[in-house]
Amino acid sequence: MKSPARVLLAGVATLATVGALVGCSPAADESESGKTELRVATFPPGADAAAYEAFAAQEAQFEEENPDIDVVGVEYEWEGPTFAVQLAGGSLPDVFTVPFTDSKTLLENGQLMDVTKEMDELGYTDSFNPIILDAVTGPDGNIYGFPRQAYAAALHYNRDLFEQAGLDPDNPPETWDEIRAAAKQIHDETGKAGYSQMAINNTGGWQLTSQTAARGGRTQIDDMDGTSESTIDNPATKATLEFLHALKWEDDSFGSKVDLDWGTINQEFAAGNVGMYTSGSDIYTALVRDFGLDSSVYGMSVVPLEGDDPGTLGGGDIAVMSPTIDDATKAAGVKWIDWYYMQKLLDEDAAVLDAKTLNESGQAVGTPLLPVLSRELYEESLVWIEDYINVPRDQMAPFSDRIWDQTPVGEPKVKTQEVYALLDGVVQAVLTYENADIDALLAQAQTDAQALLDE
C-alpha cells in the first residue's frame, strides 16, 4: 500500500515536467519487485488529503486481489489546450480519462488502445447504453475505452446567497428570465456575482453550446454523409449571448471576472462569490473534494428549456489507455478499469465496498449522475449503497426529480474542442465589449467553424 504522500508526490512530479513520466515506456512497466507497475490517473491538483486516503485504501484493496500489480497514482486533470501536448510527450498515466468529446479525435488519430476483446471477455459490452458506447466505438466497429461516467447540464446555485437575497433556495429559477432576475437580486442584495459563466480554455464554447441546445438550437448538424454543417448562427445561440450581455452590461449582475474556466469558476463558487452557474451535474464531488465547498450551501437544479426543440446537453468521460503500452501493462490496466470504475456500476458487493470506503474517508457518495448503463440498474445501485450516501440529495432534488423529463442531446461530434475554442472568443467578446456586435460575431464564427469542419 502506498501512502497518500507517495501518490501526491508522483502526481506533482508528473505535472511539473511534461514528458518526465515514462508510463508509455516498456522499461517502466515492471518495478524492481518484479510486479507490473501501473500508473493510473487520480485527482486534479489541489484535492484534499481525505481524497488521497480514500484512494490509498482502494489501491490497497486492489493490490490485495492483484498482488502482481503495483499501482501508482498520478494527479491528472484533462484540459483541452494542454492534453494534446501531454499525450504527444508521453506524460500521461497508463490509465487516464478523456471526455466523450475528445474520443472521436483520438480514435481518428489512432491514439487509443483497442479493448474490444477485453470488454467482451468481461461480459458487459451489451450492458452499456448504445448511445454512450458509440463515443468509444471506432470506424472499424471496435471499442477503444470504457464509458465510466455521464452527466447532464445543470444549474448550480448557492443556497446561502439565495437566502441572503430573499430568494427561496428550495424553489430555484425555472426559466432563463427567472435566472436573470434572481442574479440581479443576488448581486443587489449581497454584492456577489449573481451569475457567472466559463469563458476560456474551451469551456466558454462548451457552455455556449449547452445553452444553445437548452433554447432549442444546435451548433452543428451531422449531414449523415460523412460531412457536418456548422449552424452556430442561429436564434438560440444569439439569445444565449444576449442573455450574457444583459447580465453583464444592463444588470451589472455578472461580476467582474470574465476569464473563468472549469477550475476557476468552481473555485469562485466554492468561495461563495458566485450565486449561480451552469456546468455538468457531476460537479458536486469536485466542489467539495478539490475546492472546499461547504455542502450546506449547495443547490442544484435542471437547466431551463425553451424553444421548439430544446434538449439538455450531456457528456461524460471514458477510461482509456494509450496504444503504446505493452501487453502486461494493458492487461493490468484493464483489471484496474474494471475494478475501480466499472464493477461498482454492475455488482452490489463492489458498489457497497466502494461506497463504504469513500464514506469512511469523508468522500462524496451518491452524487446524481446519468447512468452509462440502464436507468433501472442505476436506481438499483442507489438502493445498494443507501446506507453510505452522504451528499445532500434533498438539496439536489430540483435536478434529480426533473432531469428524466428532459431530452438528452449529445455534444457536437466533429472538431468539438477546436470549435469550442473558437467560440470562447465569441463569449469573451460579449463579456468584454459592451458594444460587441453579436450578429457579426456569430456570422464570423459560423464561417470559421465550417472551415474547421471541412478540413
Side-chain angles (χ1 to χ4, degrees):
M1 171 179 174
K2 293 354 130 268
S3 69
R6 176 183 166 186
V7 175
L8 177 61
L9 288 172
V12 172
T14 300
L15 294 176
T17 308
V18 173
L21 178 63
V22 288
C24 294
S25 170
D29 292 333
E30 187 170 307
S31 66
E32 293 179 0
S33 64
K35 299 180 180 181
T36 298
E37 184 175 272
L38 183 70
R39 297 176 182 269
V40 302
T42 57
F43 315 111
D48 60 22
Y52 288 100
E53 291 289 350
F55 180 84
Q58 292 173 310
E59 178 188 12
Q61 292 163 1
F62 175 80
E63 291 183 345
E64 182 176 359
E65 294 181 21
N66 300 274
D68 58 334
I69 300 174
D70 179 23
V71 173
V72 177
V74 178
E75 280 188 348
Y76 171 79
E77 180 178 9
W78 184 92
E79 291 185 342
T82 58
F83 176 79
V85 175
Q86 292 174 313
L87 181 63
S91 64
L92 294 172
D94 301 317
V95 176
F96 54 99
T97 58
V98 296
F100 289 171
T101 53
D102 219 43
S103 62
K104 291 300 183 183
T105 300
L106 295 172
L107 285 172
E108 291 171 1
N109 295 337
Q111 293 172 306
L112 297 181
M113 175 70 78
D114 188 332
V115 294
T116 309
K117 177 173 176 284
E118 289 76 12
M119 188 179 285
D120 286 342
E121 289 175 347
L122 288 168
Y124 51 74
T125 304
D126 295 335
S127 298
F128 284 105
N129 180 326
I131 296 174
I132 289 177
L133 194 62
D134 178 66
V136 291
T137 302
D140 56 3
N142 288 351
I143 298 169
Y144 290 84
F146 296 75
R148 66 111 187 171
Q149 179 173 286
Y151 63 81
L155 176 71
H156 309 272
Y157 62 96
N158 185 306
R159 294 174 59 89
D160 186 46
L161 290 180
F162 265 54
E163 291 179 347
Q164 291 181 43
L167 298 166
D168 183 356
D170 293 325
N171 291 287
E174 296 186 11
T175 68
W176 291 106
D177 285 343
E178 289 178 3
I179 289 178
R180 179 181 174 183
K184 180 170 175 52
Q185 194 165 332
I186 290 169
H187 178 265
D188 290 349
E189 296 297 327
T190 71
K192 305 290 187 178
Y195 180 95
S196 286
Q197 185 141 321
M198 303 176 216
I200 65 172
N201 292 336
N202 303 12
T203 61
W206 171 43
Q207 287 306 296
L208 179 59
T209 300
S210 175
Q211 293 182 26
T212 293
R215 287 178 166 88
R218 303 293 185 269
T219 59
Q220 187 181 117
I221 294 176
D222 185 349
D223 290 334
M224 307 303 291
D225 60 358
T227 63
S228 296
E229 179 183 353
S230 175
T231 54
I232 289 168
D233 192 357
N234 67 76
T237 308
K238 181 177 180 179
T240 300
L241 293 172
E242 289 175 338
F243 168 77
L244 294 175
H245 185 275
L247 290 169
K248 176 66 178 176
W249 301 109
E250 296 176 31
D251 302 343
D252 193 29
S253 60
F254 188 89
S256 61
K257 295 188 176 182
V258 298
D259 58 349
L260 300 174
D261 62 7
W262 185 89
T264 51
I265 202 168
N266 291 336
Q267 185 176 32
E268 286 294 303
F269 181 78
N273 296 326
V274 171
M276 295 175 285
Y277 74 116
T278 59
S279 187
S281 60
D282 58 341
I283 200 63
Y284 173 84
T285 299
L287 284 170
V288 173
R289 183 191 66 200
D290 305 332
F291 300 98
L293 175 74
D294 176 357
S295 61
S296 68
V297 307
Y298 179 75
M300 178 167 70
S301 184
V302 291
V303 169
L305 301 186
E306 63 182 41
D308 294 334
D309 186 26
T312 305
L313 195 73
D317 60 40
I318 304 153
V320 296
M321 296 176 287
S322 167
T324 60
I325 61 176
D326 65 15
D327 291 342
T329 306
K330 177 185 179 182
V334 169
K335 286 184 178 180
W336 174 257
I337 291 171
D338 178 54
W339 187 91
Y340 187 68
Y341 292 119
M342 306 309 305
Q343 283 304 310
K344 63 186 176 184
L345 305 177
L346 296 156
D347 178 79
E348 181 175 358
D349 290 341
V352 170
L353 176 62
D354 179 74
K356 182 175 184 292
T357 302
L358 293 175
N359 180 287
E360 290 176 348
S361 299
Q363 299 304 291
V365 178
T367 302
L369 299 169
L370 291 185
V372 296
L373 305 173
S374 68
R375 177 180 176 181
E376 292 74 21
L377 189 55
Y378 169 71
E379 292 179 339
E380 184 180 13
S381 72
L382 293 178
V383 176
W384 295 342
I385 64 172
E386 61 183 347
D387 290 343
Y388 302 101
I389 291 176
N390 56 13
V391 304
R393 290 185 66 87
D394 57 329
Q395 295 167 209
M396 306 172 183
F399 175 86
S400 56
D401 289 349
R402 296 164 56 197
I403 186 58
W404 306 110
D405 297 327
Q406 296 194 339
T407 301
V409 174
E411 293 184 74
K413 292 183 177 181
V414 182
K415 301 288 185 179
T416 311
Q417 296 300 333
E418 292 94 327
V419 174
Y420 283 173
L422 186 156
L423 292 176
D424 277 355
V426 176
V427 174
Q428 291 163 25
V430 170
L431 295 176
T432 304
Y433 304 109
E434 183 173 2
N435 296 320
D437 187 335
I438 291 176
D439 288 330
L441 288 167
L442 286 175
Q444 187 61 54
Q446 178 153 309
T447 298
D448 294 344
Q450 189 62 54
L452 286 171
L453 301 183
D454 291 340
E455 288 180 358

